[in-house]
Amino acid sequence: MSWPVVGITDVARVVGGATPKSGTEEYWNGDILWTTPKDLTNLDGKFLSDTPRKITEQGLKSCSAEVLPANSVLFSSRAPIGHVAINSVPIATNQGFKSFVPTEHIDASFLYWWLDANRSHLQSMGTGATFKEVSKAAVERIKIPLPPLEEQKRIAGILDQADALRRLRTRALDKLNTLGQAIFHEMFGEVDASVRNWPTLSLADLVFDDDRVNYGVVQPGDHAPDGVPIIRVADLSAPVMDFASVKRISKDIDANYARSRLKGGEILIGCVGSIGTAMIAPKEFKGANIARAVARIAVDPKKCNPEFVAEYVRSDLVQRYFQKEVRLVAQPTLNIKQIRETKIVVPPADLQAIFLERLNVIMENKKKAAKSYVKQQALFTSLQHCAFRGEL
């Protein structure tokens, strides 16, 4: 089926965002919802109806932000590129968005799903040295197929139903992830060292003696198909890591960052954007590198079990510490110094072993759930491609 292809500006108005000065008290804690790309990272569904931070009318007037009407389509244009949502209530955004206010010619849900299906292409439009960003001019050059409005709504409805099934798999994985923390709290609670008389060490103390806590590649450059895989913050928070499709950097760039090259088994922590997201690097990560926004902690098992430390990092105790230490610059940032100084209470080895035995049961179930998720994701992607080729 052949549909006309139109410029995005023919069917929607493109709107950027802005941030009021963070140090001006009267600009913040008002009644105007104000969102950042981070708010979309773990959004359950396509609709955004609330935001952690809010600004005042004075704050709105102080910058170039605009309150978007409900049913606009929010598109994160940096840090990271490609998150999409529909606001169910009026919302303003920071500068990390290029959002779309649809006209009567395009259905918001249809536009949402088209953007989602074309995420890889949209990410490739990003430019910049420190971090990639898709400019407003580039967004305004986007071309989109435009079936009749009723057909748009039919396609969006089918994809909505398929997405609901896909999200059931994601929620199953999320539940399994929370079980690890449930067991941790059951066994250790807030891990009060003074009460238990257990040693307290920093993350810097726990790494191998010939290693150190560090972050990775500052300027990864463009994707190099035959290069070295690079793990980014968005990869840490993905329900399932698709290692075959991660970004790759040139071998020349990788050669300058041997200190952050992975062997497998390190703890990886997000320190820019999605602060505190943590995972253990699996064996297949060996030889990969990490981005500037990821901290690498190679814990010596003789000092403490890395799996225990990773779960400790995910605990409310450490996450609260991270949030307290965050600097608000272009985006939330946690300095490597604060990560190195993160305190870990080390329980006796026998208690660590009991914890890990219980955690391993969860990990086996996670592997099974992950396989189901990958299969469901592949089916959904295939459905999206059919939808926008007019084959549904």
Side-chain angles (χ1 to χ4, degrees):
M1 185 179 297
S2 179
W3 296 323
V5 175
V6 302
I8 194 70
T9 55
D10 293 330
V11 293
R13 183 168 62 91
V14 180
V15 181
T19 302
K21 288 185 178 179
S22 57
T24 307
E25 189 175 339
E26 55 265 32
Y27 291 169
W28 297 95
N29 301 315
D31 299 321
I32 299 171
L33 274 63
W34 179 84
T35 190
T36 71
K38 182 184 176 182
D39 302 334
L40 272 57
T41 302
N42 297 311
L43 188 63
D44 188 13
K46 66 182 182 181
F47 292 105
L48 182 66
S49 58
D50 198 6
T51 59
R53 304 188 73 192
K54 298 173 178 64
I55 60 176
T56 62
E57 187 69 36
Q58 191 175 353
L60 180 70
K61 291 177 180 177
S62 74
C63 62
S64 57
E66 175 182 331
V67 176
L68 301 167
N71 216 40
S72 298
V73 182
L74 315 182
F75 170 73
S76 67
S77 54
R78 73 179 191 187
I81 297 170
H83 285 322
V84 193
I86 297 175
N87 57 315
S88 57
V89 293
I91 284 179
T93 77
N94 79 346
Q95 61 275 17
F97 287 90
K98 302 297 182 294
S99 300
F100 304 95
V101 180
T103 68
E104 69 276 12
H105 301 298
I106 191 165
D107 177 70
S109 289
F110 177 85
L111 177 55
Y112 170 95
W113 285 121
W114 186 88
L115 292 167
D116 182 75
N118 289 272
R119 181 173 301 183
S120 294
H121 169 67
L122 296 169
Q123 289 172 338
S124 72
M125 294 164 56
T127 57
T130 305
F131 55 84
K132 299 290 187 182
E133 178 174 11
V134 183
S135 68
K136 186 177 181 182
V139 168
E140 289 177 337
R141 290 195 295 269
I142 291 173
K143 303 288 186 181
I144 184 170
L146 193 71
L149 192 58
E150 286 305 310
E151 179 66 4
Q152 294 178 36
K153 292 178 178 179
R154 186 185 74 86
I155 289 169
I158 293 172
L159 293 175
D160 283 344
Q161 293 176 40
D163 179 57
L165 294 173
R166 179 179 62 155
R167 288 186 183 277
L168 290 175
R169 300 290 187 189
T170 306
R171 293 186 186 115
L173 280 168
D174 289 342
K175 290 289 184 183
L176 289 169
N177 286 331
T178 60
L179 282 177
Q181 273 299 295
I183 294 172
F184 181 91
H185 283 288
E186 178 191 333
M187 290 187 64
F188 306 110
E190 284 283 341
V191 204
D192 191 331
S194 63
V195 173
R196 310 226 189 187
N197 198 28
W198 294 341
T200 299
L201 299 173
S202 69
L203 282 176
D205 295 329
L206 290 173
V207 301
F208 288 95
D209 292 339
D210 61 350
D211 208 332
R212 63 180 302 188
V213 178
N214 58 15
Y215 51 73
V217 180
V218 176
Q219 295 184 7
D222 295 328
H223 176 66
D226 298 323
V228 176
I230 183 168
I231 309 304
R232 297 173 292 177
V233 171
D235 299 319
L236 304 185
S237 56
V240 175
M241 167 71 78
D242 182 9
F243 189 60
S245 64
V246 299
K247 180 177 178 176
R248 291 174 176 264
I249 60 174
S250 75
K251 294 177 182 178
D252 289 340
I253 292 176
D254 171 73
N256 294 321
Y257 290 90
R259 69 177 189 274
S260 57
R261 200 174 297 135
L262 301 177
K263 297 177 181 177
E266 300 93 339
I267 299 171
L268 306 179
I269 301 176
C271 54
V272 179
S274 297
I275 301 293
T277 306
M279 72 176 294
I280 294 279
K283 292 179 181 178
E284 59 265 34
F285 279 24
K286 183 176 181 179
N289 217 311
I290 56 172
R292 161 66 179 81
V294 177
R296 166 191 161 277
I297 302 99
V299 173
D300 185 346
K302 293 178 181 178
K303 298 178 181 180
C304 193
N305 188 284
E307 291 282 1
F308 171 80
V309 177
E311 209 62 54
Y312 197 115
V313 167
R314 296 185 189 105
S315 71
D316 290 341
L317 184 69
V318 173
Q319 293 294 318
R320 287 197 300 269
Y321 163 73
F322 284 166
Q323 292 305 317
K324 184 172 75 72
E325 298 294 334
V326 161
R327 296 182 302 117
L328 289 173
V329 285
Q331 52 186 320
T333 301
L334 186 66
N335 281 339
I336 202 73
K337 178 178 182 290
Q338 275 67 49
I339 295 178
R340 288 174 179 150
E341 294 175 352
T342 301
K343 299 301 182 184
I344 305 293
V345 178
V346 181
D350 58 339
L351 282 182
Q352 292 182 46
I354 292 171
F355 170 73
L356 293 169
E357 184 178 345
R358 297 176 67 181
L359 187 66
N360 284 337
V361 175
I362 297 173
M363 298 304 292
E364 287 302 314
N365 283 294
K366 279 182 67 174
K367 288 178 183 177
K368 295 176 184 176
K371 287 182 180 178
S372 296
Y373 172 86
V374 170
K375 183 178 180 180
Q376 191 78 35
Q377 182 68 25
L379 289 171
F380 183 80
T381 301
S382 176
L383 185 66
Q384 279 186 309
H385 291 320
C386 290
F388 296 111
R389 288 198 303 261
E391 297 173 1
L392 281 187

